[in-house]
């Protein structure tokens, strides 16, 4: 009789695991059933801001594979609108509720993949009785927001609460739809994934595009008129709003795991080993936004919920479940984003992280341009490097600039991943032609500056 693999969560991590396991074991050996509480499988939450802005026209463009494709082409059964409500490790079964029909289903498993993702932080001031307030975690959230933006009377004033990458991407999306946008952030700068000096550059550039960036502001409540949002209340007074988007970060969905006794790590997410097995619980695997990962620079467990990790971790779990061998080597926190024309990239540790991890270090800021100064379209680029003292090993890097800025972080990520020193980096053979870089690439200029800073201390 075929073994049964149950997957909880039908998006990046869960369906990558299911697909990889299927590539190695056919239906006669392995039955695969995925439970997904939403309507969709393998969708790109990352694309929601570009769907809201109108750049992506159709919701379905954000769906890589639907349940029918999984069933017909891969022999993977997906039960959408089924929420798993309990995991019974002794009986090796899950209990799921049919969210449309209301019935309950029990399904036994030989192998379980826990891939429940993460959920947006819900502030205590959020209220169910006020319409016009949206999170943007799922395609249903995106559809609800678009529906509100298209309904009469059309919203004109938007407030985005939270200045992380989801918040800044949503601010851009709403500007592109013609709304007047205020972004409210309780910290002194938006983009807390970069250091405050780099966040300030992001704030300045956002303001220059007409987005109101209100920092150091606490949201304390919402005001409504006839049940519709009318203002966001802050410690400095109300900000009028016809629509509010929440981007306050996410927390790993661990409730089911905790109830079943799966180990939770210090970051608050599910623990796994390098093969994505849940330690001490045979036959149970976990991957994606619900798990913590090893940070290769600090050596600490971290929760960095990104699609790039979810896909890789799911793939690794699936290879192992399918009888192969693969390990997840950890993360260095590389991420890129853009807000209007401004691009932001980051990798490794911020100053705060480096301090907390106990490193001695120097930091440098290098100002340069994305192209040769004389080439049309040349614009400023700021590269920040954090290098260990006295070894010179790169610990972290951040870039803020215009076109060709964000993906330059990849060269720095490779250097960081491989433990290069800033001295070694000064000789990196990076590409040069006037349309793409000055003759000394901004990355090389920053590395030279870091070498000088190390020599000076
Ligand atoms: C607006 C936005 C923009 C983003 N942009 C980027 C980006 O540019 N780059 C990047 O790397 N990442 C980005 N991300 C993050 C990325 O989308 C996530 O890291 C990725 O989706 C995680 O995949 P996952 O499978 O672990 O979790 P999820 O995508 O959250 O999937 C988990 C699934 O499990 C289901 N589920 C949960 N509990 C249960 C249950 N009990 N029973 C049944 N089903 C359940 C959920 O409905 C969900 O579909 C973005 C996210 C958002 C919201």
């Amino acid at each position: 009789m075929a073994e049964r693999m149950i997957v909880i969560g039908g998006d990046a991590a869960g369906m990558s695991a299911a697909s990889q396991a299927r590539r190695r074991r056919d239906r006669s050996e392995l039955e695969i059933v995925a439970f997904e509480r939403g309507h969709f499988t393998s969708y790109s939450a990352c694309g929601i801001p570009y769907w809201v802005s109108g750049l992506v026209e159709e919701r379905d463009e954000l769906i890589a594979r639907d349940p029918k494709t999984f069933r017909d082409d891969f022999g993977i059964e997906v039960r959408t609108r089924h929420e798993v409500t309990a995991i019974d490790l002794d009986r090796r079964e899950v209990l799921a509720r049919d969210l449309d029909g209301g019935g309950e289903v029990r399904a036994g498993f030989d192998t379980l993949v826990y891939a429940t993702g993460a959920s947006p932080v819900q502030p205590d001031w959020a209220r169910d009785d006020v319409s016009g307030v949206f999170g943007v975690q799922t395609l249903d959230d995106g559809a609800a927001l678009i529906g509100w933006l298209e309904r009469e009377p059309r919203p004109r004033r938007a407030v985005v609460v939270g200045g992380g990458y989801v918040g800044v991407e949503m601010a851009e999306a709403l500007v592109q739809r013609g709304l007047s946008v205020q972004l409210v952030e309780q910290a002194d700068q938006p983009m807390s994934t970069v250091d405050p000096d780099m966040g300030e550059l992001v704030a300045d550039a956002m303001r220059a595009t007409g987005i109101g960036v209100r920092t150091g502001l606490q949201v304390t409540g919402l005001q409504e008129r006839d049940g519709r949002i009318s203002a966001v209340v802050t410690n400095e007074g109300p900000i009028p709003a016809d629509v509010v988007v929440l981007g306050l970060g996410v927390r790993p969905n661990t409730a089911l795991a905790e109830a079943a006794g799966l180990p939770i790590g210090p970051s608050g997410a599910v623990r796994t080993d390098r093969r994505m097995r849940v330690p001490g619980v045979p036959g149970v695997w976990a991957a994606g936004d619900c798990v913590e990962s090893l940070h290769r620079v600090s050596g600490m467990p971290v929760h960095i919920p990104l699609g790039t990790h979810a896909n890789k971790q799911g793939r690794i779990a699936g290879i192992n479940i399918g009888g192969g061998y693969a390990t997840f080597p950890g993360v260095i926190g590389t991420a890129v984003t853009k807000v209007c024309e401004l691009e932001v990239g980051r990798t490794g540790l911020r100053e705060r992280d480096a301090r907390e991890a106990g490193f001695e270090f120097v930091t440098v800021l290098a100002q340069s341009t994305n192209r040769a100064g004389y080439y049309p379209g040349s614009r400023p680029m700021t590269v920040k490097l954090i290098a260990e003292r006295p070894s010179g090993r790169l610990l972290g890097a951040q870039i803020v600039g215009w076109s060709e800025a964000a993906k330059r972080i990849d060269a720095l990520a490779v250097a960081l991943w491989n433990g290069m020193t800033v001295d070694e980096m000064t000789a990196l053979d990076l590409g040069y032609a006037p349309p793409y870089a000055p003759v000394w690439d901004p990355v090389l200029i920053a590395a030279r500056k870091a070498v000088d800073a190390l020599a000076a201390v």
Side-chain angles (χ1 to χ4, degrees), residues 8-14 35-38 40 43-49 82-85 115-118 136-138 165-166 169-170 253 256 287-290 305-310 336:
I8 311 176
D11 194 22
F35 288 100
E36 166 53 52
R37 67 181 170 199
F40 308 101
Y43 53 92
S44 171
C46 314
I48 293 174
H82 277 71
E83 179 169 37
V84 174
T85 52
T116 53
V136 281
Q137 185 74 9
T138 64
Y165 75 88
V166 170
E169 288 174 7
M170 288 310 301
N253 287 329
L256 266 183
D289 279 6
C290 57
L306 285 174
T308 173
H309 309 319
V336 287

Side-chain angles (χ1 to χ4, degrees), residues 26-317:
D26 68 21
R27 296 164 213 219
S28 64
E29 279 185 76
L30 186 69
E31 181 191 356
I32 306 178
V33 182
F35 288 100
E36 166 53 52
R37 67 181 170 199
H39 290 96
F40 308 101
T41 50
S42 292
Y43 53 92
S44 171
C46 314
I48 293 174
Y50 311 102
W51 176 33
V52 172
S53 74
L55 201 61
V56 174
E57 285 177 12
E58 297 294 332
R59 180 199 66 197
D60 289 357
E61 293 176 52
L62 301 183
I63 300 173
R65 280 180 195 150
D66 61 13
K68 184 175 182 311
T69 308
F70 278 113
R71 190 174 50 244
D72 295 350
D73 299 353
F74 296 86
I76 296 170
E77 188 61 37
V78 185
R79 306 216 183 131
T80 51
R81 301 288 293 151
H82 277 71
E83 179 169 37
V84 174
T85 52
I87 302 166
D88 187 333
L89 290 175
D90 294 329
R91 301 169 73 134
R92 296 194 81 71
E93 63 181 27
V94 296
L95 186 63
R97 192 172 55 228
D98 178 346
L99 296 176
D100 292 326
E104 284 198 328
V105 190
R106 280 181 188 279
F109 62 82
D110 299 288
T111 304
L112 179 70
V113 177
Y114 190 83
T116 53
S119 290
V121 170
Q122 280 297 322
D124 15 342
W125 46 259
R127 289 165 48 183
D128 287 342
D129 59 334
V130 182
S131 44
V133 182
F134 300 89
V136 281
Q137 185 74 9
T138 64
L139 295 186
D140 288 331
D141 295 337
L145 171 58
I146 291 170
W148 181 261
L149 294 172
E150 290 175 348
R151 193 177 312 159
E152 298 296 341
R154 295 243 171 163
R156 289 180 297 107
R157 301 160 305 179
V159 173
V160 176
V161 185
Y165 75 88
V166 170
V168 302
E169 288 174 7
M170 288 310 301
E172 168 185 331
L174 294 163
V175 164
Q176 288 184 345
R177 286 189 77 106
L179 280 87
S180 139
V181 179
Q182 302 283 323
L183 181 125
V184 178
E185 165 59 51
Q186 65 173 8
D188 289 340
Q189 302 299 343
M191 289 301 296
S192 63
T193 52
V194 295
D195 285 321
D197 48 357
M198 299 296 273
E200 198 177 333
L201 300 178
V202 179
D204 291 346
M206 288 177 77
R207 289 188 180 110
T209 62
I211 298 170
V213 181
R214 312 278 299 268
T215 53
L217 225 56
Q218 284 277 348
V219 175
T220 54
L222 301 173
Q223 278 176 3
E224 43 101 11
R225 196 174 305 125
D226 303 328
R228 289 174 67 100
I229 183 76
S230 63
V232 169
V233 183
T234 74
N235 54 338
E236 290 183 12
I239 305 174
D242 308 315
V243 59
V244 173
V245 174
L246 304 178
L248 293 162
V250 294
R251 294 216 178 93
N253 287 329
T254 55
L256 266 183
E258 285 181 67
L262 303 188
I264 305 298
S267 74
V270 176
R271 276 179 51 212
T272 67
D273 67 11
R274 283 176 169 252
R275 295 183 71 185
M276 307 315 298
R277 291 179 292 214
V278 177
V281 194
V284 179
W285 307 69
D289 279 6
C290 57
V291 306
E292 63 181 26
S293 306
L294 171 75
H295 198 291
R296 289 170 60 95
V297 184
S298 70
M300 311 285 281
V302 287
H303 179 239
I304 300 184
L306 285 174
T308 173
H309 309 319
N311 281 289
K312 291 188 190 98
Q313 292 172 341
R315 174 174 175 273
I316 281 158

